[in-house]
Amino acid sequence: MNEFARALLAPVTWRMALRNVWRNPRRTGVVLLAIGIGLGGVVLAMAINYGMIFQMVDAAIRTDLGHVQIHGAGFQKEPGVEIRLPASLVAEVRAAAPPELRATAARVRAQGLASTSHGNIGVALLAIDPLREPEITDLQQALVAGRWLDAASRRALVGARLAERLKLEVGEKLVVSAQDVHGDLTAEAFRVGGILRTDSLPIDERSVFIALRDGQRILGMHQEVSELVLVARSNDSDEINALRDALRARLPGELEVLAWHELRPLLQYMVDVFRQTAWVTYAAIFVAMAFGIANVLLMSVYERIRELGILMAIGMKPGRVVALLLSESLLLTLSGVTAGLVLGLLGVAALSDGIDLSRWGEGLVSFGIPTRIVPELPLDDLATPITIAVITALVSGIWPALHAVRIVPSEAVRHI
Amino acid sequence: MLEARAVHKVYDSRGAETHALSDMSLRISEGEFTVLAGPSGSGKTTLLNLFGGLDEPTSGQIRLDDQDLAACTRSELAELRLRKLGFVFQAYNLIPVLTAVENVEFVMELQGVARAERRRRATGMLAELGLGELTSKRPLELSGGQQQRVAVARAIVSQPRVVLADEPTANLDSTTAGGLLDLMQTMNRERGVTFLFSTHDPMVIERAARVVRLRDGRVVADETATSL
């Protein structure tokens, strides 16, 4: 082991480093405060951004996507009632039930037209299983008027904005028309059974939900469905991918079995881009921090020229001098980072009820952003600032350390 | 054991050359208690620094145990100082963030002496120097004399071959200085430690076994106790 490594492992190095760092408590305190507040602010900002993105993903999963969806071949490219799953497949998936699977629900999905005496609006017509849908989405909780669907009731649930535009209230009639499996136009009248308000603009503005059997009947699909939506036991991506892979292995190869991030790659892309740019944000903060730390250590070296000369005179090797200065840098940086993380996490805890952005609700919902954001900081992401902090400490300690080892002992011991 | 061979040391400050040592040759043998005496600017400290490997001669050779110090790297010089030399400076000798006992232990820590052993030797040495009650004090809590005694303890606790002391009594009152010299003489007699001082303090010169007088970077007299 060389001198540098031996010195880094020696308790006396750290004891001296700790005492040196606190020799000037005011200066050290100011630096720690600056690092703490700066990093704490960044951590809180990161947590708010993470919270927003994770809630966007979560909202998409809980209102529409589920974790995994199964469609017939070609549905992703050109969705339509002509691409259907047989009833036997639904039963087969439920019977197979991989261990990761928590719930399933079948849907029929078609494009249609909602009409009242006040106008016509193109909508997504979703025929859902009223009993199973609440197991995979939170749509039932999004009801702001009326009640949930029955098995086959000729009642429809409509999004709040659609209701406003068509001047619909619970109990009123709307006509839904769509193209059936034979290509013929079909239409049927429904009573508005309930109104939904979600964080999803497509649902609020352009969706009509009817019971699965009603949908199958008017579209001529018998027992067939458009999609099977599955939810895993947890949000863990490994578990979701395992569920998808297990289904792909058991089901005919031509079926489209896709996880949420494959169904909406843009959402996953946002998460990935944010995670990557987090490095850049932290790095920018730490570069600024590095200059502050290097400056403090450099001042400390200039104040201790005689002392460092004496240490060298009594036999301290250059490697040990470098180790001492780097230890001081590490202690200073890691103390600042600890203060910053504590402040940031306290901020996250203080905002655990969420930040109400409903004032800007209109604009946010159109981007799929929830109006109440709860800051969230994945613990594994804390490794990023800590790793960058250690690199910062080492880099900012090198400059003062090089100054220190260039000290000529004979000149330094005369220095007052 | 310590030898300067035709040493010149020139300091160049913004083009102005100062000849600190000129054709200096001197040999210090094992067990000597020698003083380098002379007025300020005579070259005493420069010669001590060269013997300690803290500085390099402009020309000539400095040899320690027949080894030319010019051939050593900075790290090797540090190792030589660690194993063979002890230093006592004029003032502010100690590391302020370490207690008295930690200061004394420090050289042994660098030498790799086990923790229990170095603590035993350091406390023993401080007790021997009358500082047994002050082991946990930091330098700023000690008087100048106490600090110098801790510095001496640090210099000799690792049993170096030579102690180089640069005006060690300059900031001490005569009683404290006398006590410190008693201590060093005892070390010299009982442990055979070689002492080389730079000073213009008559009290130190009186006690020396050999006095080398310098002027303008040259030896002008080399006197042993009998001739003094």
Side-chain angles (χ1 to χ4, degrees):
Chain A
M1 201 189 311
N2 66 18
E3 199 61 33
F4 174 73
R6 244 198 318 270
L8 272 186
L9 294 175
V12 70
T13 304
W14 293 96
R15 196 161 57 238
M16 284 174 75
L18 184 64
R19 291 176 190 175
N20 281 330
V21 163
W22 286 105
R23 267 165 98 158
N24 191 331
R26 185 183 295 176
R27 186 166 64 199
T28 301
V30 167
V31 169
L32 290 186
L33 206 61
I35 296 173
I37 291 173
L39 182 62
V42 171
V43 166
L44 184 57
M46 289 285 179
I48 291 170
N49 285 333
Y50 267 125
M52 187 177 75
I53 289 176
F54 289 160
Q55 281 168 254
M56 280 172 72
V57 171
D58 202 42
I61 288 171
R62 286 185 298 102
T63 54
D64 181 20
L65 293 177
H67 288 138
V68 176
Q69 290 191 3
I70 303 172
H71 298 105
F75 190 89
Q76 273 304 107
K77 202 172 173 186
E78 281 188 49
V81 288
E82 61 277 10
I83 301 173
R84 303 182 295 278
L85 299 172
S88 61
L89 184 88
V90 178
E92 189 183 335
V93 169
R94 285 179 181 149
E100 298 85 4
L101 181 63
R102 183 166 64 81
T104 64
R107 290 181 190 150
V108 164
R109 191 182 282 269
Q111 293 302 312
L113 192 71
S115 309
T116 67
S117 54
H118 297 284
N120 309 303
I121 292 176
V123 295
L125 180 62
L126 280 142
I128 57 176
D129 183 332
L131 290 177
R132 292 185 182 271
E133 186 72 21
E135 294 174 16
I136 60 160
T137 65
D138 289 346
L139 282 174
Q140 194 171 13
Q141 281 94 298
L143 268 176
V144 290
R147 60 187 174 86
W148 189 241
L149 296 171
D150 299 323
S153 55
R154 295 193 184 219
R155 288 193 308 112
L157 305 178
V158 295
R161 286 161 184 256
L162 181 66
E164 282 165 22
R165 287 172 66 185
L166 292 178
K167 297 186 169 43
L168 280 169
E169 287 184 8
V170 173
E172 291 185 341
K173 198 187 281 184
L174 89 157
V175 174
V176 175
S177 50
Q179 210 167 38
D180 68 10
V181 295
H182 309 295
D184 298 329
L185 196 64
T186 176
E188 193 158 320
F190 288 82
R191 292 269 176 204
V192 174
I195 294 171
L196 301 166
R197 189 180 292 279
T198 68
D199 286 334
S200 164
L201 193 65
I203 289 180
D204 282 12
E205 204 167 56
R206 292 187 300 277
S207 293
V208 173
F209 295 87
I210 57 175
L212 183 62
R213 280 193 213 162
D214 286 341
Q216 287 168 328
R217 186 188 67 251
I218 64 172
L219 295 169
M221 291 177 74
H222 308 292
Q223 299 291 307
E224 296 164 319
V225 297
S226 304
E227 64 192 22
L228 192 56
V229 185
L230 302 96
V231 174
R233 290 188 184 279
S234 78
N235 277 331
D236 179 63
S237 57
D238 289 341
E239 189 165 347
I240 292 167
N241 289 338
L243 172 62
R244 176 200 60 192
D245 295 342
L247 291 166
R248 279 181 182 167
R250 287 175 200 185
L251 299 175
E254 70 272 14
L255 292 179
E256 290 176 353
V257 182
L258 300 172
W260 67 265
H261 52 85
E262 295 159 318
L263 292 159
R264 294 267 179 88
L266 187 63
L267 281 177
Q268 182 63 46
Y269 177 72
M270 281 173 61
V271 174
D272 291 345
V273 165
F274 184 73
R275 283 213 149 111
Q276 295 302 318
T277 52
W279 270 94
V280 179
T281 311
Y282 281 124
I285 285 288
F286 280 96
V287 164
M289 193 189 292
F291 283 102
I293 293 165
N295 187 40
V296 165
L297 288 176
L298 213 50
M299 284 166 72
S300 162
V301 166
Y302 283 129
E303 286 167 2
R304 290 189 283 154
I305 285 181
R306 180 184 169 87
E307 188 180 316
L308 290 164
I310 286 170
L311 285 170
M312 292 177 189
I314 63 175
M316 196 169 187
K317 292 180 182 171
R320 274 200 176 247
V321 176
V322 172
L324 178 64
L325 268 295
L326 289 187
S327 315
E328 290 175 21
S329 180
L330 273 170
L331 280 179
L332 198 58
T333 311
L334 292 181
S335 304
V337 168
T338 305
L341 292 180
V342 168
L343 282 177
L345 292 174
L346 284 175
V348 171
L351 296 174
S352 59
D353 287 342
I355 304 166
D356 186 7
L357 300 178
S358 51
R359 274 177 70 183
W360 300 279
E362 190 90 0
L364 293 172
V365 167
S366 61
F367 289 103
I369 298 171
T371 51
R372 178 168 285 277
I373 293 174
V374 180
E376 202 173 326
L377 198 62
L379 286 181
D380 53 339
D381 274 55
L382 290 182
T384 305
I386 292 169
T387 308
I388 300 179
V390 171
I391 295 169
T392 305
L394 296 177
V395 170
S396 50
I398 284 173
W399 187 14
L402 290 178
H403 265 276
V405 294
R406 280 203 293 261
I407 287 172
V408 178
S410 61
E411 291 170 11
V413 294
R414 287 200 298 271
H415 194 92
I416 302 293
Chain B
M1 80 176 308
L2 270 177
E3 191 178 4
R5 288 184 184 172
V7 167
H8 287 262
K9 179 65 186 178
V10 180
Y11 291 109
D12 188 349
S13 175
R14 295 177 187 174
E17 287 192 346
T18 306
H19 291 259
L21 294 176
S22 302
D23 195 24
M24 167 72 68
S25 291
L26 183 68
R27 188 183 177 86
I28 307 293
S29 302
E30 190 141 17
E32 282 190 17
F33 197 80
T34 302
V35 162
L36 301 173
S40 293
S42 59
K44 306 182 298 290
T45 299
T46 301
L47 187 56
L48 271 190
N49 286 340
L50 293 177
F51 275 141
L54 300 181
D55 206 350
E56 294 170 3
T58 310
S59 67
Q61 273 190 5
I62 298 290
R63 302 182 78 85
L64 172 60
D65 287 339
D66 261 343
Q67 185 179 4
D68 183 1
L69 297 190
C72 297
T73 62
R74 288 190 77 171
S75 193
E76 286 166 343
L77 283 173
E79 182 70 18
L80 270 180
R81 289 195 290 268
L82 181 62
R83 304 285 168 191
K84 296 187 176 180
L85 303 176
F87 281 92
V88 182
F89 299 100
Q90 190 172 326
Y92 312 111
N93 261 309
L94 304 177
I95 307 307
V97 292
L98 299 180
T99 62
V101 72
E102 287 169 343
N103 262 285
V104 178
E105 275 187 79
F106 191 70
V107 173
M108 291 186 282
E109 155 76 28
L110 295 178
Q111 288 177 333
V113 176
R115 181 180 156 74
E117 171 64 8
R118 61 177 193 257
R119 182 50 60 107
R120 187 186 65 75
R121 279 163 61 180
T123 48
M125 181 60 70
L126 286 171
E128 208 175 312
L129 297 181
L131 298 168
E133 304 294 313
L134 303 172
T135 54
S136 58
K137 298 284 184 195
R138 297 255 184 117
L140 284 176
E141 300 171 290
L142 300 173
S143 69
Q146 288 166 337
Q147 286 188 37
Q148 281 302 67
R149 276 189 282 164
V150 174
V152 171
R154 185 183 63 193
I156 59 181
V157 73
S158 57
Q159 298 171 339
R161 305 269 307 283
V162 187
V163 172
L164 302 171
D166 187 10
E167 309 217 28
T169 58
N171 292 321
L172 304 180
D173 61 69
S174 58
T175 311
T176 310
L180 198 66
L181 286 168
D182 288 344
L183 172 75
M184 293 192 192
Q185 281 185 306
T186 307
M187 295 291 167
N188 173 250
R189 269 197 314 272
E190 294 180 358
R191 303 190 187 199
V193 178
T194 306
F195 280 86
L196 179 61
F197 299 89
S198 77
T199 190
H200 43 225
D201 181 350
M203 188 201 286
V204 182
I205 296 169
E206 272 172 27
R207 295 197 184 207
R210 180 184 174 195
V211 176
V212 178
R213 295 189 188 277
L214 305 180
R215 183 177 293 278
D216 298 331
R218 294 174 190 276
V219 176
V220 291
D222 189 347
E223 303 155 339
T224 55
T226 48
S227 64
L228 280 167

